[in-house]
């Protein structure tokens, strides 16, 4: 079995990285090499696909919209969901509802988006928030907060209540003990939850397609879809859009990786 370990790792790395490498190569190929020659690697590398992406397709607006909407919606859902999850984990509700409310909220996340796209559209239209950041932020926050509550509740239940009680004996209020004691210990859960919420929100396509109509609010997945025409597909442009669109997620992953590892090694007692 040990002899198969390294070939298996190499195979897994190849399967994971081959599409990414192919996308990067395609993004720097001229159109002839993509559609006619079918070269394995770019013979005459060019950045024309990237230049056209920003000069002709206004991709900078799509990318800005995606980053901004994702950041605000994830931040709102983390704040609201974390407070709600802490309340469920620490307080008793009538009829023992605290045991089931997390799963109940998760059902909203389990539902296919296509099921509620029509009522969501009607609500956003009534609020006059179509084709705006606020409309997408509200929808994404509502979806993400249910997952945040479900995830963070389990993390808060694993943190001993004695730590908070000791802090309150020393003069801290409930909120101060939550901020100084509980949140640092729950950092791994916050980071893991944020990673999931960021990836799902950043890649969401259906709501962004239905609720937006111009580059003023359209997100990166919708902007990339505009490169698919009725007659032809701009494969070079789509590959360049994929590379550019992946940059914010890669930077975010590198940023939170250190905090995730550090949070996993933290304990209540030094």
């Amino acid at each position: 079995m040990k002899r198969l370990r390294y070939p298996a790792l190499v195979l897994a790395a190849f399967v994971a990285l081959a599409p990414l490498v192919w996308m990067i190569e395609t993004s720097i190929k001229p159109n002839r090499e993509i559609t006619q020659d079918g070269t394995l690697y770019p013979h005459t590398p060019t950045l024309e696909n990237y230049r056209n992406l920003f000069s002709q397709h206004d991709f900078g607006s799509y990318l800005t919209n995606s980053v901004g909407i994702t950041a605000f919606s994830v931040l709102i859902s983390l704040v609201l969901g974390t407070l709600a999850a802490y309340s469920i984990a620490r307080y008793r509700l009538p009829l023992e509802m605290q045991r089931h409310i997390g799963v109940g909220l998760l059902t909203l996340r389990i539902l296919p988006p296509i099921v509620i796209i029509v009522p969501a559209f009607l609500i956003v239209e009534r609020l006059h928030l179509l084709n705006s950041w606020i409309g997408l932020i509200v929808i994404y926050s509502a979806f993400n907060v249910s997952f945040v509550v479900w995830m963070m509740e389990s993390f808060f239940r694993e943190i001993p209540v004695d730590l908070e009680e000791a802090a309150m004996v020393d003069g801290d209020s409930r909120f101060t003990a939550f901020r100084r004691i509980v949140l640092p210990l729950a950092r791994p859960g916050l980071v893991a939850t944020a990673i999931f919420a960021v990836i799902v929100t950043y890649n969401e396509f259906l709501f962004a397609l239905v609720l937006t109509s111009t580059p003023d609010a359209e997100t990166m997945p919708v902007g990339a879809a505009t490169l698919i025409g009725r007659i032809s597909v701009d494969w070079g442009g789509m590959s360049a859009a994929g590379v550019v669109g992946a940059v914010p997620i890669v930077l975010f992953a590198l940023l939170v990786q250190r905090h995730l590892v550090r949070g996993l090694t933290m304990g209540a007692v030094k």
Side-chain angles (χ1 to χ4, degrees), residues 191-268:
V191 174
T193 305
I195 291 173
F196 177 86
V198 165
I199 293 175
V200 171
T201 304
Y202 188 79
N203 293 325
E204 202 282 325
F205 177 77
L206 181 61
F207 283 104
L209 177 66
V210 174
L211 301 180
T212 61
S213 56
T214 67
D216 293 334
E218 288 177 335
T219 58
M220 188 273 298
V222 178
T226 60
L227 300 173
I228 303 176
R230 295 183 178 180
I231 300 176
S232 62
V233 178
D234 186 0
W235 295 111
M238 290 194 66
S239 299
V243 174
V244 174
V247 170
I249 295 295
V250 172
L251 294 177
F252 175 75
L254 295 176
L255 178 65
V256 301
Q257 180 183 15
R258 176 175 59 87
H259 296 285
L260 178 61
V261 174
R262 182 183 177 188
L264 291 172
T265 59
M266 289 177 63

Side-chain angles (χ1 to χ4, degrees), residues 6 49 53 55 60 62 67 85 104 116 153 155 164 187 236 243 268:
Y6 293 105
N49 293 320
L53 195 65
S55 62
Y62 300 130
V67 173
I116 61 173
E153 179 190 358
F155 278 94
E164 301 169 59
R187 188 179 301 174
V243 174

